Amino acid sequence: MALDNVTLKIADKELYTLLGPSGCGKTTFLRSLAGFELVDSGKILFDGIDVTLEPAHKRNTGMVFQNYALWPHMTVFENVAYGLKIRRKTKNEIDQRVRNALNMVKLGGLEKRTPHQLSGGQQQRVALARALVINPEVLLFDEPLSNLDAKLRLEMRAEIKRIQRDLGITTAYVTHDQEEAMSISDRIAIMRQGKVMQIGSPKDIYFKPENPFVADFIGQGTFFKGKVTGQDYFLSVTLENGTIVKAVPSDPSMPPKTGDEVLVAIRPENFQLNGKAENKFECTIYHISFLGKTQRVQGKMGDLTVILEADPDIPLEVDKRVEVCAEPEHTLAIKLTEKQ
C-alpha cells in the first residue's frame, strides 16, 4: 500500500504505534524508516538529520520481524552476535554485549541452543536481543507478536514495554491488534488506505474518536446514524428511527452544526441497565457472552444493534426485552462526511 502524504513525528524515548487493518500502509511506513523501501517524495529525519537517501545499514535501526528471521543453522549466541560481527567488533566486546542482551530478554544460559530448540516466545526474544545488541537509535517492530498464542502475546507485550522503558529507546511499532496497541503505546496513529486518520494517546483514541472509522475500528461500540436538530449545552440528535438523544461532539474543536449528519457512538461500558441516564433505549437481547468480570450483551433495536456490558450477577436472558440508557456526556456525536 502506497503512503498518501503521511507526516508523523515520533518523540524521543516514545513507543509510537501504527495501527490499522491489513494493507493500510503501516508496514510500508516502517520499512521506509528502516531504509528497506525508498520514498518517492518527502523526507525521513532522525534527530533532525536527513537519512532519506541513507542505506539501511547506515541508519542504526534495529528491526524485529513478524517471522523472527533467525538463522536456523546458527546458535542463539551466533544469531544475536551477527550484527556485531559485520560491524567488526572485537571478540570480547561481542561476547559481553551478546550476553548482556540475552540477559535483558531473560534468555541467559540458552546461548548454545539453535532456533528449532526454542519455543515461539523464546525465538521472538532472540530476535529482540539481536535488534537491541547493536544499540540502535530507533527500534522497529513489524507485527512481532502475531505468531504467538494468546498467553505468550500478553507476556511479550509486557516484556517489550519493560525493555523499551528501561532503555529509553525511541520505538515505532506496527500492529493490527487494537488491544495490543492500546496496552503498550504512548501514542497511536490510526491508518487507513495509506492515510493517517487520527493520532493520539490510547485514552483519547478510545474515548474521543474523530471520525467513524476510528470509532468503529477501536474497541466495540453501538452506532446510530442521525442528524443534529438542536444545540444547547448538549447536541440534540434525532436518530433514523425517530429517537432523540443528547450527545457531545467527539471532536470539540470541530463540532457538528444543526443539520449535519452524525454517527452517534456509545461504548459498551457506558450503557446502564434500567438506569436513570437521559438517553434511553429499549432493545431485545439476542446474545450474551460471559467474560469473567462482566457479561457482554448484544441486543436488537429494530435493525440496530446495541452492545453493552453488565455485571455478571445480573440475571439476563436471550429474547428478554430490556431498557438501557447512557449519559449524554458518554454519548458521542461524530460528524459524517459524504464518503462516510
Side-chain angles (χ1 to χ4, degrees):
M1 164 62 72
L3 300 173
D4 187 356
N5 195 29
V6 171
T7 300
L8 297 175
K9 184 176 182 179
I10 303 174
D12 185 38
K13 301 180 181 179
E14 182 176 35
L15 198 161
Y16 193 106
T17 296
L18 294 103
L19 173 66
S22 297
C24 71
K26 55 189 186 294
T27 294
T28 300
F29 182 86
L30 197 75
R31 290 177 62 84
S32 298
L33 289 184
F36 301 149
E37 301 276 356
L38 296 178
V39 296
D40 297 323
S41 61
K43 293 182 178 181
I44 298 172
L45 305 178
F46 284 4
D47 202 17
I49 299 172
D50 189 346
V51 299
T52 310
L53 301 179
E54 291 286 345
H57 68 277
K58 290 187 177 181
R59 296 195 186 189
N60 195 23
T61 61
M63 186 88 162
V64 181
F65 297 93
Q66 177 179 349
N67 61 355
Y68 319 138
L70 302 179
W71 298 103
H73 63 287
M74 292 184 181
T75 64
V76 167
F77 185 97
E78 290 167 341
N79 267 283
V80 177
Y82 184 78
L84 297 176
K85 286 183 177 180
I86 64 175
R87 287 168 173 78
R88 301 183 182 279
K89 302 298 181 181
T90 66
K91 184 178 183 303
N92 287 340
E93 183 178 358
I94 290 174
D95 186 73
Q96 182 177 356
R97 287 172 64 172
V98 169
R99 294 186 188 283
N100 287 343
L102 289 174
N103 287 333
M104 189 181 302
V105 299
K106 300 181 180 179
L107 287 181
L110 301 184
E111 293 86 353
K112 295 182 179 180
R113 294 192 183 182
T114 54
H116 78 272
Q117 295 175 307
L118 304 175
S119 68
Q122 288 173 326
Q123 289 183 53
Q124 191 57 283
R125 288 172 187 267
V126 174
L128 178 55
R130 182 181 58 190
L132 292 171
V133 78
I134 62 172
N135 294 331
E137 293 181 30
V138 181
L139 188 58
L140 308 174
F141 289 91
D142 186 13
E143 302 271 12
L145 308 183
S146 59
N147 290 332
L148 303 180
D149 62 37
K151 186 176 180 180
L152 279 176
R153 283 200 301 273
L154 290 174
E155 181 181 317
M156 284 303 299
R157 275 186 215 165
E159 284 297 287
I160 288 171
K161 185 59 180 177
R162 174 186 66 82
I163 292 169
Q164 186 270 337
R165 183 178 59 244
D166 289 349
L167 294 178
I169 187 168
T170 304
T171 301
Y173 192 104
V174 160
T175 182
H176 64 273
D177 187 316
Q178 297 95 326
E179 183 179 324
E180 185 178 316
M182 299 287 279
S183 67
I184 68 171
S185 308
D186 295 313
R187 281 193 301 159
I188 301 172
I190 307 291
M191 296 189 67
R192 180 192 188 194
Q193 296 178 352
K195 296 182 179 180
V196 175
M197 305 300 292
Q198 185 174 344
I199 298 171
S201 68
K203 187 175 181 180
D204 283 344
I205 292 287
Y206 185 79
F207 287 113
K208 299 176 182 178
E210 294 176 358
N211 54 73
F213 175 79
V214 174
D216 189 33
F217 188 74
I218 294 293
Q220 287 190 307
T222 296
F223 305 102
F224 307 120
K225 285 188 177 182
K227 179 181 289 188
V228 177
T229 50
Q231 291 177 287
D232 196 353
Y233 184 78
F234 296 111
L235 299 174
S236 292
V237 181
T238 301
L239 306 184
E240 290 180 326
N241 65 358
T243 302
I244 298 175
V245 299
K246 300 290 187 180
V248 293
S250 64
D251 184 3
S253 65
M254 296 182 65
K257 299 179 177 60
T258 299
D260 285 345
E261 300 286 337
V262 295
L263 187 73
V264 172
I266 306 173
R267 295 297 186 190
E269 63 271 22
N270 289 329
F271 274 114
Q272 305 167 25
L273 276 169
N274 302 314
K276 297 180 180 180
E278 187 171 353
N279 295 329
K280 298 184 183 295
F281 311 89
E282 283 194 355
C283 63
T284 302
I285 297 173
Y286 74 89
H287 185 70
I288 302 171
S289 303
F290 176 70
L291 302 176
K293 66 178 181 179
T294 186
Q295 54 183 330
R296 181 150 294 180
V297 181
Q298 292 174 273
K300 282 291 185 183
M301 189 175 76
D303 293 332
L304 303 175
T305 299
V306 176
I307 304 174
L308 66 138
E309 290 181 357
D311 188 293
D313 293 329
I314 297 177
L316 294 171
E317 299 176 5
V318 172
D319 294 331
K320 181 180 179 181
R321 193 161 183 81
V322 294
E323 182 183 80
V324 299
C325 59
E327 298 287 358
E329 294 89 343
H330 297 145
T331 305
L332 301 180
I334 306 169
K335 187 175 179 180
L336 289 169
T337 66
E338 291 182 1
K339 294 182 179 180
Q340 296 167 335

